[in-house]
Amino acid sequence: MSNISLIIQREFNERVRKKSFIITTILMPVLVIALMVAPALIMEYSGSETRHIAVIDRSGLVAPRLESNAEVVFEPVDLELDTARRQLTDRFGVLWIGADILENPSAVKLYANSSSSLSVESAITGQIEQILETEKLKAYEIDNLQQILDAVKTTVTLQTFRNDKSQEGESQAQSSVVATATGYILGFVLYMFLLIYGSMVMQSVIEEKNNRVLEVMVSSVRPFDLMMGKILGVAAVAVVQVVIWGVLIVGVGSFVLPQLMPAEAMAGVEAVQQGMPDAAAASGMDSEMLQVLAAVTDLGYVVKIFVCLLLFVFGGYLLYSAMFAAVGSAVDNVQDASQLQMPITLPIILALLMMLAVIKDPNSSMAFWFSIIPFTSPVVMMARIPYDIPLWEIALSLAVLYASFVGMVWFAAKIYRVGIFMYGKKPTLRELLRWVRYKS
């Protein structure tokens, strides 16, 4: 154990002291937030140039009702189509509307002088559709039709509560939007951790093997101790990174964010957390936004998520890093490792694909079994946990995952103790299996 602890310290100190570790640890939460906020900011501030469109309306119904905006300016003209196309080259294009537009909605053509876009075409067709629908409704001779339609328009806000969690009053509402977004982010984080940190172990073994460092080390340390030290040392780095992220997010969500939020918004969040939807609605904020803020500022919820993340990051990494270490010991360079690495990376990719399907129905049989199978459970189970699945499923998944790690370490150690002394030849899968059968 003393030898393993020395190797753990060496692997841990070598990586934690690098500037890249410090930078990624600090910047990763910022990058995640930026990726979530960036699309909204881009949509908000990405203004496009105004496009002037000449309109030739043979029906006389549409052109007078077209409304210009910052994106499209409609200019009715009294010209023949061919003449307009030749002369009005300074416009974005010419919009032609047929005389039988009511009976033939396809009698609309845009002759653009440059590349068109989906947003421009949607702005044109959206207005024309609304104008034609209004014109057709006039045939029913209903007075104040638009006012009636506006009055009867209703938006339903659904709040979901769990009977299996509390039947005494109303508990906190469950938001599928929050759970889906959280599950997707957590599953993707697990996917990245397994690939990045598993490959880190493999590359470390390959580098030390090429430098003949391993030959010196195994003279005083057993190959098994060396492999375990490397795996646990890099695992400690991953755990520290997750803990730092957890402390940052818990601190921001529980202490900083409540101080920055307006008083009425915070009152709505507290109402959601206490299961009082009527009081939350009185705040005037969107219900989904209130539920997002309620989840982020709920200390118990955030701590639960990060504890589970820590357990599955550690267990999943241990399982996969043992296989990556075995592959690294069997080859001399990263290029040769690609072929042997494929059977390891395929389950991780499969887990990511299953995560996308599982998020749609987190309680299906497929979701359950893929969250129990150890090769896919870290990614899939983390995607399911935000949906508040039963605790026994999480416990069963963790038990199977850590038990599988023990068996995988035994399997990988058989390959590792032979592979670190093999040079100049890339072994096949059949040869690796033969190494496993070698007696100690």
Side-chain angles (χ1 to χ4, degrees), residues 172-199:
Q172 180 176 340
Q174 307 293 315
S175 172
S176 296
V177 174
V178 175
T180 300
T182 306
Y184 180 82
I185 293 172
L186 292 175
F188 194 77
V189 166
L190 259 296
Y191 169 78
M192 296 300 297
F193 261 91
L194 296 182
L195 281 181
I196 292 174
Y197 283 97
S199 299

Side-chain angles (χ1 to χ4, degrees), residues 43 46-49 51 53 69-72 74 92 110 115-127:
M43 294 296 293
S46 61
S48 57
E49 62 176 305
R51 294 171 172 83
I53 298 177
N69 52 41
E71 184 177 11
V72 180
F74 297 102
F92 174 76
L110 175 64
S115 298
S116 183
S117 66
L118 181 61
S119 61
V120 172
E121 293 174 6
S122 298
I124 295 171
T125 56
Q127 286 204 45

Side-chain angles (χ1 to χ4, degrees), residues 325-386:
V327 169
S329 67
V331 297
D332 298 333
N333 53 69
V334 177
Q335 289 75 19
D336 291 340
S338 299
Q339 181 181 354
L340 297 178
Q341 189 180 346
M342 185 60 65
I344 302 175
T345 56
L346 280 178
I348 303 178
I349 297 173
L350 175 64
L352 183 66
L353 296 176
M354 287 299 105
M355 178 196 75
L356 300 176
V358 162
I359 283 177
K360 296 180 179 179
D361 186 4
N363 296 311
S364 66
S365 298
M366 182 182 70
F368 173 79
W369 287 111
F370 273 99
S371 62
I372 299 300
I373 298 172
F375 296 103
T376 58
S377 63
V379 175
V380 176
M381 182 56 83
M382 281 311 304
R384 294 183 65 209
I385 286 176

Side-chain angles (χ1 to χ4, degrees), residues 13-77:
N13 292 330
E14 180 184 1
R15 287 166 174 80
V16 169
R17 291 176 179 176
K18 289 182 178 179
K19 292 181 179 179
S20 58
F21 172 82
I22 299 174
I23 293 173
T24 55
T25 301
I26 296 174
L27 289 184
M28 187 59 72
V30 177
L31 290 175
V32 171
I33 295 173
L35 288 174
M36 296 170 63
V37 175
L41 293 178
I42 292 173
M43 294 296 293
E44 182 71 21
Y45 296 104
S46 61
S48 57
E49 62 176 305
T50 303
R51 294 171 172 83
H52 293 262
I53 298 177
V55 181
I56 301 175
D57 183 9
R58 296 307 179 204
S59 68
L61 298 174
V62 178
R65 304 181 191 178
L66 289 174
E67 296 180 359
S68 301
N69 52 41
E71 184 177 11
V72 180
V73 174
F74 297 102
E75 301 175 354
V77 296

